[in-house]
Amino acid sequence: MTTKSMDKIMALAKRRGFIYQASEIYGGINGFWDYGPLGTELKRHLREAWWQDMVLLPCRGALGPNGEPVRIVALDSCIIQHPKVWEASGHVGGFNDPMIDCRETKARYRYDHLMVFVPANDDPQGKPFFCYLPDSPSEAKQKKKAEKAFGAIKSVALRDIPKDLWPRVIGPDAEKPGSLTEPRAFNLMFKTYVGATATDDDVAYLRPETAQGIFVQFKNVLDTTRVKVPFGIAQTGKAFRNEVNPRNFTFRSREFELMEVEFFCHESEAHDWYRFWRDQRLAWWSSLGLAGHNLQLRPHERDELAHYARDGAGTSDIEYRFPFTAPGFGELEGVAHRSSFDLAQHQKFAKTNLEYFDSERGELLPNGSRRGEKYLPHVVEPAAGLDRGVLAVLCEAYTEDASRPSPELLRIHPRLAPVKAAVFPLVNKDGMPEKSEKLHRELVQRFWRYGLIEHDPKQSIGKRYARMDEAGCPYCFTIDGETASTDTVTVRDRDTGEQQRIAIASAGDWLAERLGQV
Ligand code: ATP
């Protein structure tokens, strides 16, 4: 399997208006990305696919482990919450990935990300060890130096190197050993001030996850709707993390969008729901065209579990083989059993009872009803990154094929494709443009809810097909010389490049069938 070139994918994403560097005319701002016309549509389709399959028809109608349809309701909570929310959640105290600075290069790294090349066998005392950041240029550079110094080498985490050996460690981009500082706490939350005075009492934070907004509205949702446990609350929205080392295009950004469900259930059912969500979510990503061999489920090791997940059924990451992680994988979505940690914390910090009264549990009474049971529900959380999802879709779709008029094309799943179809006149004369404009108008009126339908009368037909291939448009209709006499058009399939002739009057139904809609 050949690894796709990230440089080429990024160049196409820029050239065709999928993703731009934020504030580019000012030289850009590290860790922030804007979506162009096609990227905005692709992102919207992915968000909507999630919304449809999680809120409107959860799991496409599959029954939950309790044998009933899965119930999920929606929420849209604020980016800025009461600062106590983040104390309760552990973010103020604990969202502190320990960091390491390099005194020589002034670079800053996440302690748990750094790896070191050391001798595989005997340690020839006095020689330096070579520290690197996986998936960065430092990896190959340091590997070469380490092999020269030691011959056979192995890779270990920096945190497993005893501190008395640290003076021998050369930082990822440094020349001399001993420049790495002790790990230090570094808060990843963006701080701001609410109101004009900007004193310490006015400090607030931009949310680093959407989940807490859901937990703090749990009681309102219960009291104002007819939902019963088990049920989920879903929300999509921006999250902000002051990542120390943003990298790999949009993969690690400082502003990004999450799609999260907090699913509330009785403790005794949490394991079943955890397994259910883990498998559902993996199947969902693959239904959108991410190939099986590029997707994997990775259960977390016990010592990697977040504080809220340690006592529960565990956490699994759904991972995708991005070109910059290959042959390894990078996280796309986390599915975590958060136990009742968050509700218990908010109950304590807000001094509000968040227990649920379950009238269908508890001892059976002589009159046939149940006594009921009060409890804090457990939570299973599938939390997906929308921007990482878009990136995975782009990487998966990117195809090079020198034999085609477009040597680069995007095989985006039709459900996500920004442009659903295009209509062309073969040449811009002989009555063809009028006919193609008419067909275009008809298709726009019928399919505008589902995405863009484009019309393009200019340039050679080969170039127009190539443009649509690069945009990921799955179908192109062409009005040609035969249209006038036979009332037919050709329709070209992006993936095979093959064309067939169909009646112009049936073009709408043909497209509806392919898009699986209407
Ligand atoms: P990582 O270990 O990569 O930092 P995480 O485990 O902290 O990720 P979660 O807190 O589980 O991530 O967030 C849920 C999802 O949000 C992730 O699966 C990922 O898709 C996305 N995500 C997290 N951090 C970023 C980021 N800096 N940029 C873009 N997406 C992100």
Side-chain angles (χ1 to χ4, degrees), residues 110 241 243 250-254 256 258 331-334 383-385 387-388:
R110 234 167 88 172
R241 295 183 191 175
E243 296 281 359
T250 56
F251 180 84
R252 190 167 299 286
S253 315
R254 291 182 162 137
F256 56 96
L258 284 166
E331 177 179 338
L332 194 55
E333 170 161 356
D387 304 77
R388 280 193 196 172

Side-chain angles (χ1 to χ4, degrees), residues 132-368:
Y132 69 97
L133 185 65
D135 309 318
S136 81
S138 65
E139 180 166 359
K141 190 190 74 187
Q142 297 290 66
K143 187 165 185 234
K144 215 164 139 196
K145 288 186 181 167
E147 280 170 347
K148 201 165 160 214
F150 304 122
I153 56 169
K154 64 180 178 186
S155 175
V156 294
L158 178 63
R159 59 170 177 238
D160 294 332
I161 303 263
K163 285 278 158 47
D164 58 319
L165 294 180
W166 278 39
R168 287 173 64 187
V169 175
I170 301 186
D173 301 297
E175 297 296 327
K176 299 196 193 86
S179 63
L180 295 181
T181 63
E182 287 277 309
R184 280 191 289 246
F186 181 92
N187 198 315
L188 289 187
M189 280 200 297
F190 277 94
K191 218 183 215 182
T192 186
Y193 297 94
V194 173
T197 48
T199 68
D200 280 352
D201 293 339
D202 307 316
V203 167
Y205 300 94
L206 305 190
R207 68 180 174 202
E209 61 177 32
T210 59
Q212 298 305 324
I214 296 179
F215 295 126
V216 299
Q217 291 297 359
F218 168 70
K219 197 160 167 41
N220 269 337
V221 172
L222 269 185
D223 293 348
T224 56
T225 66
R226 305 186 79 175
V227 285
K228 285 183 172 167
V229 171
F231 77 100
I233 303 180
Q235 111 163 294
T236 65
K238 291 273 186 167
F240 302 83
R241 295 183 191 175
N242 205 352
E243 296 281 359
V244 180
N245 190 5
R247 63 185 181 284
N248 292 331
F249 203 14
T250 56
F251 180 84
R252 190 167 299 286
S253 315
R254 291 182 162 137
E255 173 176 341
F256 56 96
E257 201 168 328
L258 284 166
M259 308 185 288
E260 295 193 294
V261 167
E262 305 306 320
F263 195 84
F264 301 93
C265 62
H266 189 267
E267 179 176 3
S268 63
E269 294 174 352
H271 277 65
D272 290 343
W273 282 107
Y274 166 70
R275 279 193 290 272
F276 173 80
W277 280 116
R278 188 192 60 186
D279 299 345
Q280 282 287 329
R281 297 303 305 149
L282 181 70
W284 187 78
W285 286 108
S286 108
S287 79
L288 295 173
L290 300 189
H293 63 270
N294 285 334
L295 270 178
Q296 74 169 16
L297 261 184
R298 187 182 67 84
H300 279 206
E301 303 289 336
R302 215 75 213 156
D303 64 353
E304 308 173 69
L305 288 176
H307 55 280
Y308 53 73
R310 277 186 203 126
D311 304 326
T315 296
S316 283
D317 286 345
I318 297 169
E319 298 186 327
Y320 180 74
R321 195 199 308 264
F322 291 94
F324 47 81
T325 58
F329 291 76
E331 177 179 338
L332 194 55
E333 170 161 356
V335 181
H337 173 203
R338 296 179 76 122
S339 68
S340 57
F341 174 84
D342 304 89
L343 288 179
Q345 286 292 99
H346 289 302
Q347 183 165 266
K348 189 164 123 202
F349 278 69
K351 301 189 179 64
T352 305
N353 186 0
L354 296 180
E355 278 177 329
Y356 174 71
F357 179 73
D358 194 334
S359 58
E360 286 162 25
R361 290 185 181 270
E363 180 194 339
L364 192 61
L365 300 175
N367 66 3

